[in-house]
Amino acid sequence: RARRGLAGFMAIRSKAIRSMAIRCTLIIYESASLFGTADSTFIDAPNAAPITRQLAQRCCSFAGEPNILKMRTPSMALDKSMLPQNALEEPILHHLHGETSPLQRDRVLIFEIARTAFMFADLDRNGLLEIHEIQSMMGRIVTHQEPDSLEAITSISEEVEKISVLCDEDGFLTYEMFLLHVAQCDVDSHLFKCLLSFAENSLSAGVLSRLRSGAVDRLRTTSHILDDGSSSWRESVDAAFELCDHDNSGTISREKLDDAVGKYPLIKQLLRIPFELDVQEQRAYMLELYDRIDADGSNEVDRFEWLDYFCVDFNGSISDNVPHIPLWDPDDADCQKVTGFIFDCDGTLYQPSGLIPGARDTLAWIQRSGRQFALLSNTGAGCKASVHRRLSTPGGCFECRLDGNYIPEDRIYTAADAQADFLTSGHLPAGSKLLVMAPNDGWAKTISARDRALVSSWEILRNIDVDTAKKWSQLAKDRLEWESATSQDKSAESNPPPKVAVVFFHDGKLSDDWSYNLIHAMTILLSFGAEFIYTAEDAVNPSIDERYMNQTFPMPGPGMFVEMLKTSMPPHTSNRCFCCGKGGNVGRKFMIERAINMLKEQGHSGNRDEIMILGDRFNTDIRAGTLAGIKSCLVESGAHSSQFASNFPMDMPSYLTETIASIAPRRFSKPKARWQTDLLRQ
């Protein structure tokens, strides 16, 4: 029954996500049975303790199987290492140690030894079991117990045949499926007896106490938790190797690593040795990890093995961990469910040279088929009117008519619009002080149209010198202290200090050139607590030069200056940064939610399963879709292609396509040319 409940997860493409889903479901089944009545073989999951019920609801909703809770599940014991810390551990352990029968305690023991038995059987150490490895493990245990038992050998063959059904198409058995089979196997089976014998022998040898500490489970299986792909991480790994290799032999032995762990905190941090383990357990953990780093089994770790283990992308292997991104197919049933489209503009709808071929036809198809669309631009230099002008200039290379009509302005929204809405939403109170960086005065008209009285109360500077920045910095400091004060202290102060903010309304270029003094002044403001509000984190924007045909050149974008200035802000002040564009922490509400409402105004249901955002950047367009819970499609006509996927593991699109022209069905008939339409009218 548990296996039927997991059937839906087998279709998930990503092995990592599938593994996580199976583990979560196992926790639900196991914990529900443990909280059931002691004298019942089968229990209803709704009778479980409230905390188990909550966990089950969340996990099953995530998996898209809300009805799975109604299933009756066989009583199982729980692998302690699979539980969230401080959530289910204490009540379950209390139940196990206080109310379980000897038979249940045996099953608990088997679950606690399951991972070690799995590793013991995994002769080639590839993290998967083959049939001959399972047979060999059981044979070694049974032969030791009953060396001349023909019945035992026959039972092993029957048990192996049952397990083979759980193997994948390549004949491999994962740990999750092994654990599931262990939970269901009969107590009289030889597998159960073998594992129980193995557990008891391990217990007598003092191994189980180390397993209960979770040491084995904490061994690295994918990327290191500290590995952010930066050069500083690579330098730390290099430095750690040199500290271990004190005699410059070019290799690290077990003795060298053991010595370095005791001397250098960097090595202990790198190996992620749990602090709660005692000295003996730490050494056992470290030695087991050493065997994993020693890929060729030479009992010496060279620099290449060291870097290959700790730096996932050192030899390019990171691409193996990137899930497959399906291609958009307009004739596919799932793709046809999408009825609301949110398009990025630059790189998706148009390029610096003009509209991308097929863009006009795709928008026309959406409109004719009764679907809805909205256009979002991450530009901070202009509001929706500026994009509308670009698309509706007669004879221009960006002109976009759909069946003779221009795109209405109310279907367009930009990051500058979103930022104007955010600034006037009450986030900046009356009397605030703003330093605004922009190439023109368009932003002033945009925010004044929202709330003229509020904007008039602000003190706004377009440029600032260092002395003025120092004066404002004291106000920013006072504001920080006031915000951290208690409610009683705040009420005692009738006039709180004004908010100070540095605001970007630009795409990289300003009305005046960036100067050292200007950067110096902004550095002072941000380091003393001024808020940082900006439209986008795009590091570069595309540009063209007529002298170089078919060439696109990068020009500095707002993100380049944002990242530079963020380094001047104190640690743990990310809550004072507000990005209003796609992919930003504020953009999720003020941009994506606005786009969804624009679709609803056109008649769309607003159902997020039927909405998709299309864009050319993982870190803005695709991230925006992920955070908003809608589908996303990477369009490879702009800044990013699928080759960038490994750099954005948390921003995986739902679909992939080369160009916007591929969105419409191939059978879609293109509209007649303008001269044909005029002729028909005559």
Side-chain angles (χ1 to χ4, degrees), residues 442-510:
W443 61 273
K445 298 176 183 178
T446 302
I447 62 174
S448 294
R450 265 75 170 174
D451 192 333
R452 188 174 300 276
L454 175 63
V455 174
S456 299
S457 73
W458 295 341
E459 182 179 354
I460 302 176
L461 296 182
R462 293 292 309 279
N463 207 330
I464 192 170
D465 55 49
V466 172
D467 286 339
T468 305
K470 290 178 179 177
K471 294 178 183 177
W472 278 25
S473 70
Q474 301 308 298
L475 297 174
K477 179 183 177 182
D478 293 342
R479 179 75 186 194
L480 269 182
E481 294 175 353
W482 178 82
E483 289 179 354
S484 60
T486 62
S487 301
Q488 186 176 0
D489 292 336
K490 285 182 180 179
S491 59
E493 191 170 349
S494 56
N495 294 315
K499 262 192 180 182
V500 180
V502 175
V503 182
F504 277 10
F505 270 107
H506 67 81
D507 291 333
K509 188 177 181 180
L510 301 179

Side-chain angles (χ1 to χ4, degrees), residues 206-248:
V207 175
L208 191 56
S209 62
R210 181 167 66 88
L211 292 175
R212 282 175 174 155
S213 70
V216 174
D217 286 336
R218 293 187 179 102
L219 288 175
R220 172 187 181 273
T221 56
T222 53
S223 61
H224 196 287
I225 193 171
L226 301 176
D227 185 2
D228 58 357
S230 64
S231 58
S232 60
W233 170 252
R234 168 70 181 269
E235 290 167 6
S236 297
V237 174
D238 257 329
F241 182 87
E242 292 170 3
L243 288 173
C244 294
D245 183 25
H246 55 80
D247 58 359
N248 298 319

Side-chain angles (χ1 to χ4, degrees), residues 251 290-302 304-305 308:
T251 59
Y290 181 92
D291 290 336
R292 292 198 173 199
I293 302 173
D294 183 18
D296 58 5
S298 63
N299 292 322
E300 287 185 331
V301 173
D302 58 29
F304 181 88
E305 289 175 315
D308 185 41

Side-chain angles (χ1 to χ4, degrees), residues 89-276:
E89 184 173 358
E90 290 304 321
I92 287 178
L93 288 179
H94 173 74
H95 181 83
L96 288 177
H97 294 146
E99 301 180 26
T100 53
S101 66
L103 184 59
Q104 286 175 308
R105 283 197 295 270
D106 287 345
R107 195 177 285 277
V108 170
L109 193 58
I110 286 178
F111 262 78
E112 290 188 317
I113 206 69
R115 183 174 292 276
T116 302
F118 187 90
M119 295 173 67
F120 173 71
D122 186 16
L123 300 176
D124 55 8
R125 304 179 70 83
N126 65 349
L128 299 167
L129 289 188
E130 298 176 68
I131 293 299
H132 73 87
E133 290 178 325
I134 301 171
Q135 198 162 4
S136 174
M137 174 195 71
M138 294 178 64
R140 278 180 282 171
I141 299 174
V142 171
T143 303
H144 177 72
Q145 291 177 315
E146 307 171 69
D148 300 318
S149 175
L150 179 62
E151 181 187 350
I153 302 300
T154 305
S155 177
I156 290 175
S157 300
E158 293 174 354
E159 194 71 42
V160 169
E161 188 175 343
K162 293 178 184 177
I163 296 176
S164 65
V165 178
L166 302 176
C167 294
D168 60 21
E169 57 187 12
D170 296 321
F172 292 115
L173 181 72
T174 64
Y175 173 69
E176 286 76 17
M177 299 310 294
F178 174 73
L179 192 64
L180 183 59
H181 183 72
V182 169
Q184 294 176 311
C185 72
D186 191 89
V187 294
D188 294 324
S189 68
H190 265 80
L191 176 62
F192 190 94
K193 292 177 180 177
C194 286
L195 292 176
L196 183 59
S197 173
F198 185 86
E200 289 170 343
N201 291 337
S202 299
L203 183 62
S204 62
V207 175
L208 191 56
S209 62
R210 181 167 66 88
L211 292 175
R212 282 175 174 155
S213 70
V216 174
D217 286 336
R218 293 187 179 102
L219 288 175
R220 172 187 181 273
T221 56
T222 53
S223 61
H224 196 287
I225 193 171
L226 301 176
D227 185 2
D228 58 357
S230 64
S231 58
S232 60
W233 170 252
R234 168 70 181 269
E235 290 167 6
S236 297
V237 174
D238 257 329
F241 182 87
E242 292 170 3
L243 288 173
C244 294
D245 183 25
H246 55 80
D247 58 359
N248 298 319
S249 64
T251 59
I252 302 175
S253 63
R254 286 184 177 82
E255 292 73 21
K256 285 183 180 179
L257 186 61
D258 189 21
D259 182 57
V261 166
K263 285 183 179 180
Y264 307 112
L266 173 63
I267 310 300
K268 185 174 290 190
Q269 182 186 39
L270 191 69
L271 298 182
R272 296 169 63 190
I273 296 179
F275 290 103
E276 65 269 20

Side-chain angles (χ1 to χ4, degrees), residues 298-344:
S298 63
N299 292 322
E300 287 185 331
V301 173
D302 58 29
R303 188 183 293 270
F304 181 88
E305 289 175 315
W306 185 264
L307 291 173
D308 185 41
Y309 183 84
F310 288 107
C311 302
V312 177
D313 60 346
F314 174 66
N315 61 1
S317 60
I318 192 170
S319 59
D320 298 336
N321 297 325
V322 177
H324 169 73
I325 306 173
L327 293 176
W328 170 267
D329 180 1
D331 296 321
D332 180 76
D334 286 337
C335 294
Q336 290 176 355
K337 293 177 182 177
V338 178
T339 55
F341 296 83
I342 301 172
F343 289 96
D344 167 53

Side-chain angles (χ1 to χ4, degrees), residues 271-285:
L271 298 182
R272 296 169 63 190
I273 296 179
F275 290 103
E276 65 269 20
L277 302 185
D278 59 32
V279 176
Q280 186 177 358
E281 290 173 335
Q282 286 188 10
R283 178 176 173 79
Y285 178 98

